[in-house]
Amino acid sequence: MENNIDIDKKIDELIAELTLEEKIKLCSGASMWTTEEIKRLNIPAIVMSDGPHGLRYVVEINEFGATSNKKTTCFPTASALASSWNKELLYQVGETLAEEAKSLGVNIILGPGVNIKRSPLGGRNFEYFSEDPILTADLASCFVKGVQDQGVGTSLKHYVCNNQEYKRFSVNVEVAERALREIYLLAFERVVKEAEPWTVMAAYNRVNGTPATQNDYLLNQILRAEWGYQGLVISDWGAIHDRAAALKSGLDLEMPGPSRVNKEKIQMQLDKKELKEEILNQSVKRVLKTVFKSSPERITVDYDQHDKIAQTAAEESVVLLKNENKLLPLDFNNMSSITVIGEMAVNPRYQGNGSSKVTPYILADGLSEIKNSIPPAVELNYASGYNNDQNLESQIDEAIKKAVKSDYVIIFAGIPEKFESEGFDRKNINLPERQNKLIKAVAEVNKNLIVVLNNGSAVNISDWIDKVPAVLEGWLPGQAGAKAIVNVIKGKVNPSGKLAETFPLSLAHNPSYLNFPGVNEEVNYAEGIYVGYRYYEKKKIEPQFPFGHGLSYTEFEYTNLILDKEVWAEDEVEVEFDLKNVGKLAGKEVIQLYVSQNNPYYDRPEKELKKFKKVSLKPGESETIKFKLSYRDFAYFNPELKDWVVEEDEYKIIIASSVQDIRLSAAIKIKSKEIAHILSTDDPVLDWLAEPLGKKVLAEILSAEQMDYLENEENTYITERPLYRLDFLSDELVSQQEIEKIVLNYNMLRGDYYSNK
Ligand code: BGC
């Protein structure tokens, strides 16, 4: 393989040789999935394929638009994978996907999707990881590294604020800078910096008035200049509004192609000198760099082996939501009968619908897996219970009849595909009414009931949760999901998944409730930074199941938290504690570290996830866990200063098993440089006094007597007024020149502070 210098040289030479027409050609696709090939200069095409949880390698599209795909491995979708909280697993899934890509000659996998789950209604939530940006980013980074370490590229999508399907091609997202940075951009920022995805895919929607595909602020200023992104920016399929504006804003490659009209538009702008050829050259260079990175190596893959990896991934992702009286695991050798209910037991709901839908190599179902797991002496009954979202009274009667005489009952329930898909949002977060009815009716006749859920995002099960002793959230677990679920049921696998999103008690409790999906082509992210658990915690709204929740068949004990008492913000904070498996079974615990600031100047969430780790321990085994925290783990995005700021304050380090299940916590003082907020003559004198630098400047210019007067609490009727009023109140308390000098000095010193940072 050529080194970077050779490649850069080769690219410079090619730029000199390419005609203008060829350059324009290279900046848009040649087909649905490929870029242009320039034969005369030996520039090959790149092949792309969806992602993210399996390769959708399209072989044929028929006259009705239906596709037929190559059979590939269908892994659990992102909401399931996120519930594993397992970074190594994400790397392995990425690596496995890359092998399949290589076997099919695919150079770039179109994923992962790191958009934040703003509302549980989002139609593509199953394709996204979490409501939390750190969990999303750290898992996605491992996925990207797993793929790219094999010489296959990824596309980090959809940049940014693509959090709903309603009007997804046109909606304008109004989002404040702080929420944009702390919630929506953060996942992209971390993955870009840590894993350097080969490509970033710009979203369909607009952000603060400008399409994401021609958003200079997002692409040129933030992604490239601030974060140092060197890779290729591609458009989501058909997301370009104004091609020339997109090029100028940093969007290199339009997909799919060819687009004759857009090529002409680029040519016209070049002719009119409204677009510089240098801008086009930059994009061509990035396209070529990606082309030459792509390995043409073809390998063969072992799909049976990949099925096993898909099964492990699903086993790591299943979340045990409830397990009253330790009903689970079931001992199949120690029962005489079991009834399985639900169409999804034979016709599993295992992946989402839309561009990510793959044709699985093989597909397991719950009923067959249970049949294969029980001894011949155990009587196994099956009742369909419902079909899709419908059921007949006779189906419920049949289910009851079978359930009543069985030792145990397992119902497979979930959200049918027609309610949850790319292209539209969910209307509510309920299970189909008929399934609720069925579950309640069966719960009446058999107390040993286990409900398995298959859905891509949070569901509301408050209708029957009190009546059902055991509930497993299986998500959309991929082709081997049923094997994983049955392994958890029979205790071959100890569940270790934890929720990557809050399950609210009511949709109305969700922070986006009043602003989802918006009106008149506009959605206002009015909840700001209070997304997911950040909101439920702050408002003290009890969820059905909190973020990070998930039970195990064993128990863990947390002890001995060791932490510095005081450090500077620029220093690293080392956190250490012991974790012990105090139960009788081997198991895995997902440790969560949250940070909380005691007295923030700007409002902050009660807790923010900063670190996590999945640890595997045998019974009686313990391990010392260490985390390192740095500046950004304590910082918030200060919208005034337009920077990440750590305020000097006391912070709490919280070690938890879910956002509500705090096991250890300790305080730490973080010392930091003073932050001087922006102040003008319009700000109240009180604000000037409250700001240490402001007070210092006032004291330098005003007399001691004047300062005493202003600081006297009895004079707040004066000091509540803006600084500019001081020149004519109380017999010219302060002169106009002095006021100007105060502001001038303050801004000078503030600038010094800032440039010294
Ligand atoms: C989706 C992308 C996908 C692309 C190609 C678009 O409609 O939003 O996620 O990668 O199609 O299938």
Side-chain angles (χ1 to χ4, degrees):
M1 189 143 122
E2 292 156 290
N3 65 33
N4 285 344
I5 301 170
D6 291 342
I7 289 186
D8 287 344
K9 201 167 149 245
K10 179 170 164 184
I11 290 174
D12 283 341
E13 284 163 12
L14 283 171
I15 291 283
E17 287 203 43
L18 284 161
T19 64
L20 203 52
E21 199 190 332
E22 284 167 337
K23 287 182 192 173
I24 295 172
K25 239 175 138 182
L26 279 170
C27 291
S28 57
S31 70
M32 193 68 178
W33 308 112
T34 56
T35 57
E36 290 282 357
E37 176 186 8
I38 310 280
K39 278 210 178 99
R40 75 172 185 97
L41 294 171
N42 288 327
I43 300 172
I46 316 175
V47 180
M48 305 180 199
S49 197
D50 276 305
H53 60 265
L55 276 177
R56 183 172 70 111
Y57 188 86
V58 180
V59 197
E60 209 181 83
I61 304 185
N62 73 15
E63 56 189 305
F64 307 108
T67 57
S68 87
N69 307 332
K70 271 250 163 55
K71 283 187 180 167
T72 52
T73 307
C74 178
F75 291 91
T77 76
S79 37
L81 289 173
S83 304
S84 77
W85 295 61
N86 186 334
K87 296 179 200 171
E88 292 77 28
L89 174 77
L90 268 287
Y91 184 92
Q92 196 187 13
V93 169
E95 198 179 39
T96 317
L97 268 172
E99 281 181 19
E100 296 194 13
K102 276 186 178 172
S103 80
L104 294 166
V106 169
N107 308 112
I108 292 174
I109 297 173
L110 300 174
V114 294
N115 297 97
I116 295 298
K117 298 187 193 193
R118 178 176 173 250
S119 161
L121 297 179
R124 285 183 97 168
N125 276 9
F126 67 87
E127 260 187 89
Y128 299 143
F129 291 90
S130 173
E131 65 191 24
D132 181 85
I134 300 280
L135 178 59
T136 298
D138 290 5
L139 295 178
S141 288
C142 292
F143 175 95
V144 169
K145 285 182 195 160
V147 175
Q148 294 190 171
D149 285 353
Q150 309 310 308
V152 174
T154 55
S155 195
L156 190 67
K157 67 190 189 183
H158 309 88
Y159 188 70
V160 59
C161 295
N162 188 190
N163 310 98
Q164 64 185 50
E165 292 303 279
Y166 175 78
K167 301 221 170 157
R168 68 168 166 155
F169 300 110
S170 52
V171 74
N172 176 40
V173 171
E174 275 302 318
V175 55
E177 179 82 13
R178 187 171 166 208
L180 186 62
R181 298 291 194 144
E182 287 186 23
I183 306 291
Y184 300 99
L185 283 176
L186 184 57
F188 287 93
E189 178 184 0
R190 279 174 82 99
V191 182
V192 162
K193 289 180 177 170
E194 277 176 40
E196 300 177 22
W198 287 13
T199 78
V200 168
M201 188 191 290
Y204 287 124
N205 50 284
R206 297 164 197 261
V207 180
N208 293 331
T210 310
T213 46
Q214 60 191 65
N215 201 310
D216 183 76
Y217 183 54
L218 293 172
L219 296 174
N220 278 338
Q221 296 181 45
I222 294 181
L223 176 67
R224 292 201 201 280
E226 252 184 59
W227 302 345
Y229 181 62
Q230 302 286 324
L232 183 73
V233 177
I234 68 176
S235 72
D236 196 347
W237 267 229
I240 296 278
H241 295 237
D242 174 336
R243 184 61 186 108
L247 258 184
K248 286 182 210 161
S249 307
L251 190 133
D252 307 306
L253 175 67
E254 172 177 23
M255 284 303 290
S259 169
R260 189 180 49 83
V261 179
N262 277 343
K263 282 182 193 157
E264 280 169 12
K265 280 188 185 157
I266 296 177
Q267 184 67 61
M268 254 160 51
Q269 289 249 333
L270 285 165
D271 293 345
K272 286 199 261 167
K273 305 261 178 288
E274 280 168 13
L275 174 69
K276 291 196 191 109
E277 192 173 338
E278 184 41 38
I279 303 264
L280 179 67
N281 285 349
Q282 268 177 15
S283 288
V284 174
K285 281 185 190 172
R286 293 189 196 115
V287 172
L288 293 177
K289 223 175 187 159
T290 316
V291 169
F292 296 130
K293 256 196 227 173
S294 303
S295 144
E297 186 195 3
R298 292 293 274 258
I299 57 169
T300 50
V301 299
D302 179 348
Y303 280 100
D304 293 327
Q305 169 64 15
H306 288 191
D307 184 50
K308 293 207 174 71
I309 298 170
Q311 181 181 333
T312 309
E315 286 170 350
E316 291 274 332
S317 310
V318 175
V319 182
L320 178 59
L321 292 175
K322 182 178 176 187
N323 194 20
E324 218 169 68
N325 303 325
K326 300 201 167 141
L327 178 63
L328 286 173
L330 297 186
D331 182 356
F332 284 143
N333 292 312
N334 215 350
M335 62 174 72
S336 55
S337 57
I338 186 163
T339 291
V340 174
I341 300 171
E343 192 201 16
M344 286 184 191
V346 288
N347 192 3
R349 179 88 212 289
Y350 64 100
Q351 69 168 325
N353 195 21
S355 60
S356 67
K357 191 169 185 173
V358 307
T359 305
Y361 174 72
I362 189 171
L363 182 60
D365 67 84
L367 186 61
S368 309
E369 291 307 315
I370 291 171
K371 206 183 268 173
N372 295 339
S373 298
I374 55 170
V378 176
E379 182 192 323
L380 172 65
N381 304 303
Y382 171 71
S384 59
Y386 59 88
N387 297 105
N388 213 344
D389 59 324
Q390 314 247 301
N391 58 7
L392 308 166
E393 286 308 318
S394 61
Q395 281 178 295
I396 297 191
D397 290 348
E398 185 204 0
I400 291 174
K401 244 185 237 154
K402 290 184 172 162
V404 80
K405 58 182 177 72
S406 274
D407 291 347
Y408 295 93
V409 181
I410 305 174
I411 299 184
F412 284 79
I415 307 276
E417 190 176 274
K418 71 175 196 184
F419 293 147
E420 191 178 42
S421 169
E422 177 176 344
F424 57 85
D425 297 310
R426 282 156 81 194
K427 291 200 172 52
N428 56 55
I429 55 168
N430 305 332
L431 286 180
E433 201 34 51
R434 294 306 185 119
Q435 290 189 24
N436 282 336
K437 199 173 159 194
L438 170 77
I439 294 168
K440 281 189 285 189
V442 173
E444 286 294 315
V445 300
N446 195 317
K447 298 291 165 227
N448 289 333
L449 172 61
I450 297 123
V451 173
V452 174
L453 295 169
N454 286 117
N455 43 278
S457 187
V459 277
N460 183 352
I461 50 175
S462 52
D463 207 20
W464 47 259
I465 184 71
D466 293 339
K467 302 179 179 73
V468 175
V471 184
L472 278 175
E473 176 52 85
W475 299 112
L476 303 180
Q479 65 183 38
K483 290 187 198 165
I485 288 165
V486 174
N487 275 348
V488 169
I489 290 176
K490 67 184 184 195
K492 190 169 174 204
V493 167
N494 189 349
S496 60
K498 301 228 180 184
L499 295 180
E501 59 192 273
T502 311
F503 277 36
L505 270 169
S506 152
L507 177 62
H509 293 174
N510 183 264
S512 71
Y513 185 67
L514 295 177
N515 292 287
F516 187 95
V519 283
N520 296 345
E521 316 289 320
E522 182 140 315
V523 54
N524 184 2
Y525 287 15
E527 69 283 0
I529 55 168
Y530 292 102
V531 174
Y533 68 86
R534 285 165 167 76
Y535 178 79
Y536 298 108
E537 291 270 297
K538 192 83 178 181
K539 290 274 287 184
K540 311 215 181 317
I541 296 174
E542 198 52 39
Q544 186 168 231
F545 295 109
F547 176 80
H549 167 77
L551 304 173
S552 164
Y553 297 152
T554 189
E555 269 156 43
F556 298 94
E557 183 186 79
Y558 294 63
T559 51
N560 300 334
L561 175 59
I562 306 173
L563 183 73
D564 289 328
K565 293 259 167 305
E566 189 173 300
V567 294
W568 276 97
E570 285 73 17
D571 295 340
E572 244 179 19
V573 175
E574 290 190 10
V575 183
E576 201 181 299
F577 61 94
D578 295 328
L579 179 76
K580 185 172 182 188
N581 181 345
V582 290
K584 292 194 179 63
L585 290 171
K588 292 180 182 175
E589 171 69 323
V590 172
I591 298 156
Q592 301 155 46
L593 186 155
Y594 297 87
V595 170
S596 164
Q597 186 181 347
N598 279 3
N599 297 298
Y601 177 84
Y602 282 97
D603 203 36
R604 282 189 87 164
E606 298 282 293
K607 298 184 193 101
E608 291 168 60
L609 181 78
K610 298 297 173 185
K611 300 276 169 195
F612 62 91
K613 192 174 180 184
K614 194 165 197 175
V615 184
S616 174
L617 292 174
K618 296 197 189 80
E621 196 185 358
S622 61
E623 191 177 317
T624 300
I625 314 293
K626 293 181 185 173
F627 288 119
K628 281 193 177 136
L629 299 170
S630 51
Y631 189 89
R632 278 291 290 270
D633 295 318
F634 296 95
Y636 69 104
F637 191 83
N638 185 311
E640 256 187 342
L641 305 175
K642 284 198 169 287
D643 202 356
W644 295 92
V645 166
V646 175
E647 284 177 357
E648 178 157 316
D649 199 356
E650 191 171 86
Y651 291 75
K652 249 190 253 90
I653 306 296
I654 297 163
I655 310 292
S657 180
S658 86
V659 75
Q660 282 191 358
D661 186 0
I662 299 173
R663 300 301 181 88
L664 299 167
S665 112
I668 182 167
K669 167 132 194 231
I670 307 283
K671 292 189 287 175
S672 188
K673 285 200 189 110
E674 231 166 59
I675 297 151
H677 299 278
I678 294 171
L679 288 174
S680 74
T681 50
D682 287 337
D683 286 299
V685 179
L686 275 178
D687 285 8
W688 279 85
L689 290 167
E691 180 65 59
L693 183 64
K695 189 169 162 183
K696 189 170 158 233
V697 172
L698 284 176
E700 276 167 10
I701 292 176
L702 305 184
S703 68
E705 208 184 346
Q706 284 172 320
M707 279 304 281
D708 283 348
Y709 180 81
L710 294 180
E711 285 187 281
N712 186 337
E713 273 182 21
E714 282 175 18
N715 295 330
T716 47
Y717 70 99
I718 293 283
T719 49
E720 270 168 355
R721 293 161 202 256
L723 189 71
Y724 71 79
R725 298 292 308 263
L726 285 186
D727 68 342
F728 58 89
L729 280 167
S730 307
D731 296 332
E732 272 218 8
L733 184 64
V734 184
S735 75
Q736 183 62 46
Q737 287 90 325
E738 280 171 326
I739 289 174
E740 276 164 23
K741 202 154 172 233
I742 290 168
V743 178
L744 203 75
N745 285 2
Y746 181 78
N747 282 338
M748 239 161 57
L749 288 172
R750 210 184 139 254
D752 279 355
Y753 155 78
Y754 218 52
S755 53
N756 285 338
K757 208 178 117 235

